[in-house]
Amino acid sequence: MVKRVLVTGGTGYIGSHTVVELLEAGYDVVIVDNLSNSERSVLKGIEKITGRRVPFHKADCQDETAMRRIFRQHGFDAVIHFAASKAVGESVEKPLLYYRNNLSSLMNILTLMRECGVPNLVFSSSCTVYGQAEKLPVSERTPRREATSPYGNTKHMCEDIIRDSVAAYPEIRSIALRYFNPIGAHESAEIGELPRGVPNNLIPFVTQTAAGIRPMLSVFGDDYNTPDGSCIRDYINVTDLAKAHVVAVARMTEGRMKAPFEVFNIGTGRGVSTLEVVRTFEKVNNLKLNYKIVGRRAGDIEAVWANPSYANEELGWKAEKSLDETLRSAWKWQQHLDNKKHK
Ligand code: UD1
């Protein structure tokens, strides 16, 4: 029997790439998204790549009644819960919005999973739960640190809500994937990141600067205690990240979990500095980027990268795509967007 997966936030950046990988692995998928930070046109991109039309519900995970209808209508084997607010700066200004959205959405999902007999949940967590770790790279055993933003705190709290729920309710289980920095776009350039307004994240800002939409990239700080003074992150190709979700769903639905709640780091294991990203982007796309070094961004972590060996060994998953290839895909996606606008 073909397994059916509910993907909340399925028109978002990571969600849409995961939907494509699930379809290509033979799963049925239903998408729920409130379109608060994504576009309906993403569904067309998914269809172009996979040749399959995915059932879509415009609904908010905070709306328990609407979600109950969707759970009852379809019957799911697993849920991948992406839908959440994710801008660090905005979360400082609007903490209640973040706590309400991220926590109540998850609690509704867990409630409905129990009620409707859906045992498996993959949850989008983040390396933000490690904060600035004392020892790098971070493994899943690295202690979590107090979050530096309400956004980060919601990831902590959501992990705790899941841990306590699966401990109390034996009918549900969960895998939390702690993402490092997802970048790039599907190799077809039919889907990718669609930031609204001025991008907060590095890569969309880089590609928009290269496209002339932004005059200049600001590199936040070159006085960190790192080899070139800029921050270090673990940049992971979004398709590689999407594939980790497919593997996690299979592990759960095939009964291969070792505990009712498991956590995996999803990164490459390689730390790359902001300046290295800029230089690599220039090199692989054969262009010059207008950038300047400015002061540090409040709340930034100096350096973090993953020890992904637990995911490599236990999940049988490994990041495969190189930074070069990934930064080429990011630029190809930006050009695809610009072409579409001018048509
Ligand atoms: C952070 C969180 C991550 C969260 C994400 C959501 C950490 C370690 N990571 O990612 O968990 O999911 O926000 O958005 O807390 N940079 C510039 N100029 C720019 C933009 C960024 O120099 O215009 C630099 C930043 O200083 C940083 C790096 O690029 O060093 C990556 O930044 P960004 O893409 O915003 O991601 P994080 O802040 O690492």
Side-chain angles (χ1 to χ4, degrees):
M1 265 272 283
V2 176
K3 301 263 194 305
R4 185 174 302 134
V5 183
L6 168 64
V7 180
T8 73
T11 49
Y13 174 43
I14 309 173
S16 58
H17 288 80
T18 300
V19 169
V20 165
E21 296 307 316
L22 284 167
L23 293 170
E24 294 196 331
Y27 289 92
D28 278 345
V29 176
V30 173
I31 296 178
V32 165
D33 204 299
N34 66 2
L35 301 178
S36 62
N37 194 27
S38 62
E39 309 283 336
R40 204 179 273 270
S41 61
V42 171
L43 297 167
K44 279 206 201 92
I46 293 171
E47 198 181 330
K48 267 199 175 160
I49 298 168
T50 63
R52 288 176 66 183
R53 184 167 288 172
V54 183
F56 171 72
H57 297 272
K58 181 173 188 290
D60 194 315
C61 295
Q62 292 180 78
D63 183 347
E64 193 177 335
T65 311
M67 293 304 290
R68 178 171 290 108
R69 221 176 293 126
I70 295 163
F71 268 76
R72 293 213 173 134
Q73 181 186 337
H74 296 280
F76 299 114
D77 297 286
V79 179
I80 307 182
H81 182 47
F82 291 105
S85 306
K86 63 146 191 137
V88 175
E90 185 187 46
S91 80
V92 176
E93 281 155 32
K94 302 174 182 166
L96 287 178
L97 187 146
Y98 273 67
Y99 288 118
R100 186 174 294 118
N101 186 25
N102 294 5
L103 302 189
S104 78
S105 294
L106 173 67
M107 289 192 280
N108 284 343
I109 297 286
L110 290 167
T111 302
L112 291 168
M113 285 171 61
R114 294 187 64 213
E115 197 182 300
C116 303
V118 183
N120 304 305
L121 172 70
V122 180
F123 177 70
S124 299
S125 192
S126 167
C127 69
T128 195
V129 300
Y130 298 117
Q132 182 56 68
E134 269 161 32
K135 255 182 61 196
L136 291 165
V138 293
S139 82
E140 293 79 354
R141 283 181 303 279
T142 300
R144 295 185 311 171
R145 285 246 164 131
E146 205 177 314
T148 50
S149 71
Y151 158 77
N153 212 13
T154 68
K155 292 296 171 191
H156 260 257
M157 293 163 104
C158 284
E159 283 194 358
D160 292 347
I161 289 170
I162 295 170
R163 182 201 58 212
D164 295 346
S165 299
V166 301
Y169 312 126
E171 65 273 26
I172 56 174
R173 48 188 176 254
S174 178
I175 292 179
L177 301 179
R178 291 179 179 158
Y179 312 152
F180 285 70
N181 286 57
I183 60 165
H186 192 267
E187 57 186 12
S188 66
E190 294 295 345
I191 54 171
E193 195 166 4
L194 271 177
R196 289 205 171 147
V198 182
N200 294 308
N201 295 112
L202 177 63
I203 299 306
F205 211 106
V206 164
T207 60
Q208 291 193 5
T209 305
I213 301 167
R214 312 274 156 213
M216 172 140 25
L217 167 75
S218 297
V219 172
F220 298 135
D222 69 347
D223 56 351
Y224 286 98
N225 187 19
T226 60
D228 67 18
S230 62
C231 292
I232 292 179
R233 295 288 183 274
D234 185 333
Y235 294 95
I236 172 167
N237 181 286
V238 67
T239 293
D240 278 341
L241 172 59
K243 286 180 177 161
H245 296 77
V246 179
V247 171
V249 167
R251 181 178 176 90
M252 303 181 100
T253 54
E254 290 163 16
R256 288 186 276 112
M257 287 177 76
K258 296 218 165 124
F261 182 42
E262 295 181 327
V263 172
F264 295 97
N265 279 348
I266 305 298
T268 67
R270 192 171 155 230
V272 175
S273 77
T274 308
L275 286 171
E276 243 178 297
V277 169
V278 169
R279 275 194 296 272
T280 309
F281 184 85
E282 290 183 324
K283 181 193 78 185
V284 301
N285 295 309
N286 197 19
L287 46 79
K288 275 261 154 269
L289 204 63
N290 202 14
Y291 74 91
K292 66 166 189 280
I293 312 278
V294 301
R296 294 180 176 196
R297 180 170 70 175
D300 253 343
I301 278 159
E302 179 170 275
V304 66
W305 69 95
N307 173 349
S309 45
Y310 187 56
N312 297 164
E313 283 149 28
E314 264 306 313
L315 286 179
W317 166 92
K318 203 170 187 302
E320 281 166 356
K321 292 187 188 284
S322 68
L323 183 64
D324 287 14
E325 187 180 355
T326 303
L327 290 176
R328 268 195 293 267
S329 74
W331 180 228
K332 187 173 163 191
W333 165 242
Q334 180 67 53
Q335 289 171 303
H336 172 92
L337 280 179
D338 296 345
N339 288 340
K340 262 207 327 210
K341 229 176 275 156
H342 294 126
K343 262 186 194 160

